[in-house]
Amino acid sequence: SVKLYTGDIIVIAGEGNRGKTGTCLNIAVNNMDKHKVIYFTSEFHKEKFLDRIAYFDWVNVWMEDGQLKFTLAELEENYIDKLQCGYINILDWVRIDDEQWKINALMKKIQDKLGGKGLAVISMQKRSYKKVGVGGEGSMDYASFYVTISYDQELQKNKLQVLKAKTPGVSDPNYKTYSFKLINGAKFHDIREE
């Protein structure tokens, strides 16, 4: 278990098509009834997003007026200005194409914008041959919780590894690895500690 606090940054660094968006969407739907959530997305147009969210059939994501229970926003150039204090801000996915080393400064700006009054979940790419996400180990500096998602050829499963849990709960998840299957980009199944 992990203790999270307002002002914390969670990083999900994963290889392409390995469950970053599924993880982010699960965070959104599992928190939307308890907290304000804004989901910034760079990958989907609205119709594609609505098709994807339909696979979350174990939870009602709609309010009575037909609106989503969380705010959906496009991850544009000025997204830092649109971050909301008091919200869980999910950024799926943050990319820095040409100067990846700048991820550290970008995460500092996100933390400063939230001013200790919100939570940020940042999804980013990870190369299959790297241990951490784009930007290298600097992408871990401001994170309170940092996980990587990759594909294990031997197990024929996705695996999630906890690289940093700054404030572990009762059991310490640091450096633990979990294998899982993700069904329709929504349902985590067969989760096992490796």
Side-chain angles (χ1 to χ4, degrees):
S1 64
V2 177
K3 293 180 182 178
L4 297 172
Y5 302 94
T6 55
D8 281 351
I9 293 177
I10 298 166
V11 174
I12 302 160
E15 296 172 12
N17 204 31
R18 288 291 143 225
K20 293 183 302 295
T21 295
T23 303
C24 288
L25 286 170
N26 270 276
I27 292 169
V29 301
N30 287 313
N31 285 284
M32 67 189 178
D33 290 324
K34 297 174 273 195
H35 304 282
K36 295 177 183 175
V37 176
I38 185 166
Y39 189 100
F40 294 91
T41 178
S42 63
E43 292 187 310
F44 297 123
H45 55 69
K46 192 166 185 173
E47 292 79 22
K48 196 172 189 180
F49 181 84
L50 295 175
D51 285 346
R52 177 80 176 262
I53 204 74
Y55 288 110
F56 289 78
D57 55 7
W58 68 92
V59 63
N60 182 11
V61 299
W62 306 103
M63 294 188 287
E64 288 182 20
D65 65 0
Q67 298 295 312
L68 278 171
K69 288 183 179 178
F70 58 92
T71 304
L72 181 61
E74 190 172 345
L75 190 61
E76 301 169 325
E77 256 185 61
N78 62 341
Y79 67 89
I80 290 178
D81 296 333
K82 296 178 182 179
L83 295 175
Q84 298 294 313
C85 293
Y87 279 66
I88 297 173
N89 295 268
I90 301 172
L91 309 169
D92 182 22
W93 54 277
V94 171
R95 58 190 291 178
I96 300 177
D97 292 324
D98 52 350
E99 297 175 315
Q100 295 176 357
W101 56 271
K102 288 186 175 182
I103 191 71
N104 187 290
L106 178 67
M107 290 174 68
K108 173 74 170 126
K109 286 180 185 176
I110 291 168
Q111 189 176 59
D112 290 347
K113 171 66 177 173
L114 294 177
K117 298 177 184 163
L119 188 74
V121 177
I122 301 171
S123 166
M124 66 176 64
Q125 289 294 107
K126 181 186 99 56
R127 305 293 174 240
S128 60
Y129 55 90
K130 296 279 189 175
K131 181 180 176 181
V132 295
V134 295
E137 290 184 5
S139 67
M140 295 179 69
D141 290 351
Y142 289 98
S144 296
F145 187 63
Y146 193 105
V147 299
T148 60
I149 302 175
S150 56
Y151 188 70
D152 189 312
Q153 293 285 349
E154 190 176 308
L155 293 174
Q156 297 287 302
K157 289 185 180 179
N158 292 317
K159 67 177 186 178
L160 181 144
Q161 184 175 23
V162 179
L163 295 184
K164 181 180 181 181
K166 198 169 186 175
T167 50
V170 176
S171 63
D172 187 352
N174 279 295
Y175 305 107
K176 290 189 178 177
T177 301
Y178 303 87
S179 64
F180 67 92
K181 292 180 182 174
L182 185 61
I183 300 168
N184 294 326
K187 295 178 184 172
F188 285 87
H189 180 67
D190 197 22
I191 301 168
R192 298 172 192 243
E193 186 175 344
E194 297 296 324

